[in-house]
Amino acid sequence: MQQLILIPATIAAAACITDLQDNQIKNPLILTGYAAGFWYIIYRQGVPGIPCFFGRAILPIAIFYILFVIGVLGAGDIKLFSVLSTFLTLKETATVITFSFLLGAIAALFRMLFTRELWARMAYLLGYASLCIGARRLLPYQRLGKNSTIHFSVPIFISFILTEVIS
């Protein structure tokens, strides 16, 4: 059964490569991941697992939609979470999400320290929070500088591998 986990690991690795090369995760890769996740559920649970597939696929999209709307998280990253969740239990999905955000925060902190932008970015974040409070709604979050993007597919991939090693 462990060999089957190579399929989502390969999809996540390919997502990292396309994200790093093209700054996006390609939809054909996501569709391939959904197809593999669908067949994985059928293999594990049979036809009664089909609603489980859709529930697992929709959950990350529902959770992270607001982060996409304000521009904090990319659509490809959310779709990658969605694809990987079709291979995981809810507990494993929560672990991947938690590790991903932790690793992403560490990567962002190191990047801000390395580029010496930590205080400017913290000031911007406080200003952004103040604007949202004043407007009483979430506003689009503007990125500062050319190198402000974290390729979040990398922490997602690492978190997926860590979760599989732990479980």
Side-chain angles (χ1 to χ4, degrees), residues 33-104:
Y34 280 134
F38 182 80
W39 291 113
Y40 179 75
I41 289 284
I42 297 292
Y43 175 77
R44 296 289 306 260
Q45 299 178 14
V47 173
I50 292 174
C52 182
F53 166 81
F54 286 107
R56 289 179 184 178
I58 291 170
L59 184 63
I61 295 168
I63 291 171
F64 296 124
Y65 178 73
I66 193 72
L67 294 179
F68 168 73
V69 168
I70 64 172
V72 175
L73 197 57
D77 300 322
I78 296 169
K79 290 183 281 189
L80 181 58
F81 273 130
S82 175
V83 165
L84 294 177
S85 71
T86 65
F87 293 89
L88 302 169
T89 65
L90 287 176
K91 182 180 178 186
E92 291 169 331
T93 298
T95 302
V96 169
I97 290 169
T98 302
F99 284 168
S100 296
F101 278 93
L102 181 63
L103 292 174

Side-chain angles (χ1 to χ4, degrees), residues 11 23 25-26 46 49 57-58 66 77 94 118 127 132 141 150 152 165:
I11 291 166
N23 290 319
I25 299 170
K26 306 287 186 181
I58 291 170
I66 193 72
D77 300 322
L118 178 64
C132 289
Y141 188 85
I150 296 290
F152 201 52
V165 167

Side-chain angles (χ1 to χ4, degrees), residues 10-30 76-77 79-80 149 151-154 157:
T10 302
I11 291 166
C16 288
I17 292 167
T18 63
D19 190 15
L20 291 167
Q21 287 178 343
D22 304 327
N23 290 319
Q24 63 177 333
I25 299 170
K26 306 287 186 181
N27 282 334
L29 178 63
I30 295 298
D77 300 322
K79 290 183 281 189
L80 181 58
T149 301
H151 295 280
F152 201 52
S153 60
V154 176
F157 171 67

Side-chain angles (χ1 to χ4, degrees), residues 102-115 118 121 148 150:
L102 181 63
L103 292 174
I106 292 167
L109 177 63
F110 277 111
R111 173 180 258 166
M112 288 184 287
L113 290 171
F114 180 74
T115 60
L118 178 64
R121 290 184 185 269
S148 63
I150 296 290

